[in-house]
Amino acid sequence: MQSNKNMFVSLFVMMTMSMVTNPFVFSQNSGKTNITVNVDSMAGIIDATIYGQFSEHLGSCIYGGIWVGEESTIPNTKGIRNDVIEALRNLKVPVLRWPGGCFADEYHWMDGIGPRHKRPKMVNTNWGGVVEDNSFGTHEFLELCELIGAEPYISGNVGSGTVEEFAKWVEYTTSDGESPMANLRRENGRDKPWEIKYWGIGNESWGCGGRMYPEYYSDLVRRYSTFIKNYGANQVYKIAAGPNVDDTTWTDVVMRKTGDVINGIALHYYTSNSKPAAVIDEKGWFDVIRKTLRMDEIISMHTKVMDRHDPAKKVALIVDEWGTWHSVEPGTNPSFLFQQNTMRDAIVAASNLNIFHKHNDRVKMTNIAQMVNVLQAMILTDKKKMVLTPTYHVFEMYKAHQDAINLPIQLETPNYEFGQEAIPSVNASASITSKGIITISLCNVNPTKNAKVNIKFNSFKNKNISAQILTAEEMNALNSFDAPTKVMPTNFTDFKFTKDELQLDMPAKSVIVFKLDGQIDSRIGKAIEVKKVKPGIKYAYYEGILMVLPDFSEMEVLRKGKIDQITIPEENSLGDYAVRYSGLIKLPADGFYNFYANADDGCKIYIDGKLIVNNDGRHAPIEVKGFASLHKGFHRIVVEFFQAGGGAVLETRIEGPGLAKQIIPANMLFHEID
Ligand code: AHR
């Protein structure tokens, strides 16, 4: 249990995204759920990619669910179902993982390019031994991503592939040069390369991906990552296969041996259930929710291990497979993992998302399994028919959390008890967008009891409030092809808002999302008073061999100057050096500002003495962001940078009210004069 009282000690609270997790406290009390939302504190950014999806060549996820082919009578765009495209665009899917899963480690990408009628066929040994005709390959997948507006995340074949094959896939898709693979791509009809940031180095390499030991797999990661190149501006983000559930030994070994060459490590944790999705008694309901809430503990376990190897949290935990895994729908092929999706799945999705928000300092991406027709799907299809599941509706209701700033909450809630066991009955999360809209998502996991909920706000006066609810009478309520709108979000108005308190009686088994628009009544980020200023920012130049940013007070200043923008001053040593910039930044309006440092090597940004962005350490160019809530006017800015061997990059960007993300422009930078 963690108190957030100390967060109020300062009226000016700003944090880098890697600093703290959201206090998300469960405790038993007299029967009421009490939540406090601290609007003048922040607990990291909820990366949009936490809302990612997964699509595998499995059952009818790809074939039938997404891909019907250009000749199909089902309306399609270049072979991809229009109804599915439209539904997914609406969901704002930020990132889509493909082609597996277990399938990834037997997939040879070259079989899936070129004229479709010439593509070789293969047997999908993992999923039912069906014939895979490779008609949906690299171009089709990347077309799908473009159509739905998602970033691609490709899992490469390590289990049965080669380094050469993997390296060529990256070259084929992302190189713009005169290279054999780029030319082959052009021959296949795509002139410009794609931008593909996320690449997975194998999948479940402890299991279907090769039954490897973590030591052996780690060596492979080092080898593969050496030959996975960045072409042009495309910067590859390398994701290693991570642990199964609570296997912290895997995490420990892979982090120790590869932490310097990867950007993420993938955790897989499913909520398993031996009965079909819609066969639910209260014991079954309780068990599934209890297993779901274990996600919190499992993430914490791996985070602890990762923190030992990577205290600066450079490597992300990517939960790239999660969701319910029920027994298949009776009468369907057991290898196709087709399951229905009920109100209980909605509760599972909402609870998991609330947990991921809380861990946003380490969890940067998740991918629910799977997007269409497999496991906990968003969408089910049957030939021409399509239905949106209760899980889809949760993702839609929650989408305002994407890229918002997580707000710390304190939560006290009674237990929901069943037999000898107990779990917290309500879980919740809150965030604020850069436009100041607060989203609060609440989930009452108890299937039989309403929850009396009181929400208090610190430093916030509400002007407008609206809410949506997803609930149902029966535990196993679902949307079928014949009754596709049985479980749908509706407007929720049954609440009272008095001063700074929101009161509601939350129905049993429900998910409610509030949107509040109001005034943030706090003095965080107050502007400073300055007498005389001139344009430009000061810098001091130092030399030395560095692994991390130094204590500049102990370094000898070799040169000083003034510069219009935060760029590396000319006349540097060809060796190692460091620069410290200090001055003022003038902000045009009150609001939330994101700051970004893209640096090779280390860089930190401080605003008014608080560390906002921490991108320290020796590394290739990598962008790290942080944020601050700041008032209009002048603020002190300090940027520290060092260069150690190889290339040097320093780009500092800002984004805020009325400001699109951009390099901090010269007209915002000043220094004081006497
Ligand atoms: O999502 C279904 C399967 O579950 C994936 O192929 C595999 O990675 C996991 O075991």
Side-chain angles (χ1 to χ4, degrees):
M1 206 180 279
Q2 184 189 347
S3 155
N4 70 346
K5 258 192 207 151
N6 54 343
M7 289 182 178
F8 293 98
V9 172
S10 163
L11 287 166
F12 187 106
V13 182
M14 296 185 287
M15 295 165 193
T16 59
M17 59 196 301
S18 61
M19 279 178 72
V20 293
T21 56
N22 185 352
F24 188 70
V25 181
F26 296 120
S27 68
Q28 197 164 9
N29 72 357
S30 56
K32 271 200 177 160
T33 295
N34 293 315
I35 299 175
T36 306
V37 181
N38 300 303
V39 180
D40 58 357
S41 301
M42 305 163 206
I45 289 179
I46 299 169
D47 284 69
T49 41
I50 281 179
Y51 285 76
Q53 305 271 338
F54 171 37
S55 57
E56 180 168 9
H57 289 237
L58 193 180
S60 51
C61 178
I62 300 292
Y63 297 109
I66 293 170
W67 176 258
V68 286
E70 284 154 351
E71 309 304 321
S72 172
T73 53
I74 298 176
N76 67 82
T77 304
K78 297 185 185 169
I80 299 168
R81 295 178 72 122
N82 287 348
D83 50 358
V84 169
I85 295 172
E86 196 190 326
L88 294 172
R89 281 190 72 82
N90 175 48
L91 215 51
K92 288 198 183 326
V93 177
V95 62
L96 179 58
R97 179 172 182 248
W98 172 86
C102 296
F103 181 77
D105 279 299
E106 62 174 11
Y107 181 62
H108 299 285
W109 69 271
M110 283 202 168
D111 294 347
I113 55 169
R116 279 189 208 108
H117 65 277
K118 288 194 179 157
R119 297 184 190 174
K121 295 185 170 53
M122 67 179 278
V123 174
N124 188 336
T125 62
N126 281 289
W127 306 116
V130 295
V131 173
E132 161 68 58
D133 70 1
N134 279 306
S135 49
F136 188 90
T138 301
H139 289 249
E140 290 77 12
F141 169 66
L142 293 166
E143 183 71 48
L144 167 68
C145 289
E146 283 177 357
L147 287 168
I148 64 173
E151 268 196 82
Y153 166 13
I154 295 184
S155 289
N157 181 345
V158 171
S160 69
T162 63
V163 181
E164 182 190 6
E165 182 185 16
F166 198 139
K168 282 184 168 169
W169 203 0
V170 179
E171 182 188 328
Y172 180 88
T173 48
T174 64
S175 164
D176 202 11
E178 259 306 313
S179 80
M181 287 299 110
N183 287 338
L184 182 59
R185 182 195 66 234
R186 291 181 189 111
E187 275 168 36
N188 287 331
R190 172 81 185 198
D191 185 29
K192 285 280 145 220
W194 291 277
E195 249 181 61
I196 307 178
K197 177 174 171 184
Y198 301 109
W199 290 85
I201 306 177
N203 168 75
E204 297 194 351
S205 303
W206 39 264
C208 64
R211 298 206 192 129
M212 301 175 203
Y213 293 111
E215 290 80 4
Y216 175 73
Y217 173 69
S218 297
D219 282 343
L220 287 186
V221 170
R222 298 198 75 82
R223 181 163 172 232
Y224 273 72
S225 59
T226 306
F227 297 96
I228 297 171
K229 305 284 184 194
N230 292 329
Y231 293 97
N234 194 66
Q235 297 288 315
V236 173
Y237 185 101
K238 295 164 192 152
I239 301 171
N244 184 26
V245 190
D246 51 9
D247 181 1
T248 48
T249 306
W250 181 278
T251 307
D252 186 39
V253 174
V254 175
M255 281 301 292
R256 176 158 41 84
K257 290 182 168 273
T258 75
D260 59 329
V261 297
I262 59 170
N263 305 101
I265 181 165
L267 162 70
H268 289 182
Y269 173 56
Y270 285 97
T271 302
S272 60
N273 174 27
S274 57
K275 294 201 173 128
V279 178
I280 310 178
D281 55 15
E282 194 176 343
K283 183 178 181 318
W285 175 283
F286 183 89
D287 281 349
V288 161
I289 306 302
R290 181 183 50 76
K291 286 182 195 162
T292 296
L293 297 181
R294 262 205 87 202
M295 180 67 90
D296 192 15
E297 175 201 335
I298 289 167
I299 292 175
S300 298
M301 259 179 205
H302 293 292
T303 297
K304 206 168 154 198
V305 175
M306 292 175 78
D307 284 351
R308 274 208 309 268
H309 298 286
D310 172 34
K313 297 189 194 280
K314 297 267 176 217
V315 180
L317 187 61
I318 308 282
V319 189
D320 67 13
E321 289 188 29
W322 66 273
T324 46
W325 190 317
H326 304 294
S327 177
V328 296
E329 277 303 287
T332 64
N333 185 333
S335 301
F336 286 5
L337 308 185
F338 178 79
Q339 62 189 39
Q340 249 301 351
N341 197 295
T342 69
M343 189 59 220
R344 182 176 58 180
D345 295 274
I347 297 282
V348 167
S351 301
N352 269 314
L353 291 169
N354 286 345
I355 291 168
F356 298 145
H357 295 174
K358 174 187 153 190
H359 289 280
N360 67 69
D361 61 333
R362 191 57 95 171
V363 176
K364 301 296 177 193
M365 187 202 292
T366 86
N367 308 78
I368 187 170
Q370 298 193 5
M371 195 162 69
V372 187
N373 289 337
V374 169
L375 299 176
Q376 192 175 350
M378 305 291 118
I379 294 173
L380 302 178
T381 65
D382 180 17
K383 301 186 189 78
K384 288 194 166 164
K385 292 185 182 167
M386 180 193 84
V387 77
L388 304 178
T389 65
T391 298
Y392 176 97
H393 294 305
V394 169
F395 270 68
E396 195 192 10
M397 289 164 73
Y398 269 53
K399 68 189 179 191
H401 282 304
Q402 291 190 19
D403 271 339
I405 292 163
N406 191 35
L407 295 173
I409 60 169
Q410 283 171 308
L411 189 151
E412 288 177 355
T413 188
N415 278 334
Y416 160 35
E417 289 166 13
F418 190 83
Q420 298 302 305
E421 295 180 293
I423 53 178
S425 55
V426 172
N427 62 70
S429 183
S431 71
I432 185 162
T433 67
S434 56
K435 296 199 167 85
I437 308 287
I438 294 175
T439 304
I440 301 177
S441 45
L442 303 170
C443 180
N444 180 5
V445 307
N446 191 317
T448 58
K449 253 190 171 174
N450 287 15
K452 295 224 173 308
V453 181
N454 270 15
I455 307 178
K456 280 199 171 159
F457 296 86
N458 283 331
S459 308
F460 180 72
K461 285 203 186 72
N462 179 57
K463 282 195 207 133
N464 291 309
I465 185 165
S466 63
Q468 283 210 306
I469 184 167
L470 191 72
T471 190
E473 283 298 311
E474 309 93 35
M475 290 189 284
N476 63 353
L478 54 84
N479 294 333
S480 65
F481 295 108
D482 297 329
T485 56
K486 197 160 178 210
V487 187
M488 289 284 285
T490 52
N491 288 340
F492 178 73
T493 51
D494 197 10
F495 56 84
K496 274 197 217 142
F497 201 96
T498 49
K499 285 188 186 158
D500 54 358
E501 197 170 328
L502 176 60
Q503 293 173 349
L504 64 144
D505 194 7
M506 201 180 168
K509 52 177 160 0
S510 67
V511 177
I512 298 183
V513 175
F514 281 97
K515 288 216 163 62
L516 297 97
D517 186 2
Q519 187 193 328
I520 301 166
D521 181 21
S522 70
R523 288 182 285 154
I524 54 173
K526 230 181 154 188
I528 57 165
E529 290 198 4
V530 287
K531 289 194 183 118
K532 277 193 187 159
V533 295
K534 272 194 158 180
I537 185 161
K538 292 178 177 172
Y539 74 88
Y541 174 86
Y542 310 79
E543 284 178 7
I545 295 174
L546 300 164
M547 297 302 288
V548 290
L549 281 162
D551 175 351
F552 282 90
S553 65
E554 289 181 357
M555 303 266 293
E556 187 192 347
V557 179
L558 299 180
R559 222 169 40 237
K560 277 183 174 179
K562 195 178 67 60
I563 199 162
D564 293 342
Q565 279 180 279
I566 302 162
T567 51
I568 300 173
E570 285 167 10
E571 299 166 31
N572 299 307
S573 141
L574 291 176
D576 296 355
Y577 57 89
V579 191
R580 186 171 187 277
Y581 305 81
S582 59
L584 299 165
I585 184 162
K586 190 177 180 193
L587 301 177
D590 291 357
F592 286 97
Y593 288 86
N594 290 322
F595 291 87
Y596 302 80
N598 179 29
D600 170 359
D601 293 275
C603 177
K604 285 182 179 175
I605 303 177
Y606 296 82
I607 301 290
D608 295 332
K610 307 278 173 186
L611 180 62
I612 302 298
V613 180
N614 186 350
N615 190 5
D616 200 0
R618 279 183 176 224
H619 49 70
I622 180 170
E623 187 174 79
V624 172
K625 69 181 169 189
F627 53 82
S629 171
L630 298 165
H631 280 202
K632 179 179 173 177
F634 286 101
H635 296 263
R636 295 198 191 284
I637 180 166
V638 170
V639 175
E640 296 177 346
F641 168 73
F642 82 95
Q643 154 61 7
V649 174
L650 173 62
E651 291 169 346
T652 52
R653 291 185 165 77
I654 188 168
E655 178 181 39
L659 279 180
K661 184 178 173 187
Q662 59 192 283
I663 299 269
I664 300 177
N667 64 10
M668 290 180 78
L669 294 170
F670 297 86
H671 63 282
E672 259 178 302
I673 51 167
D674 300 328

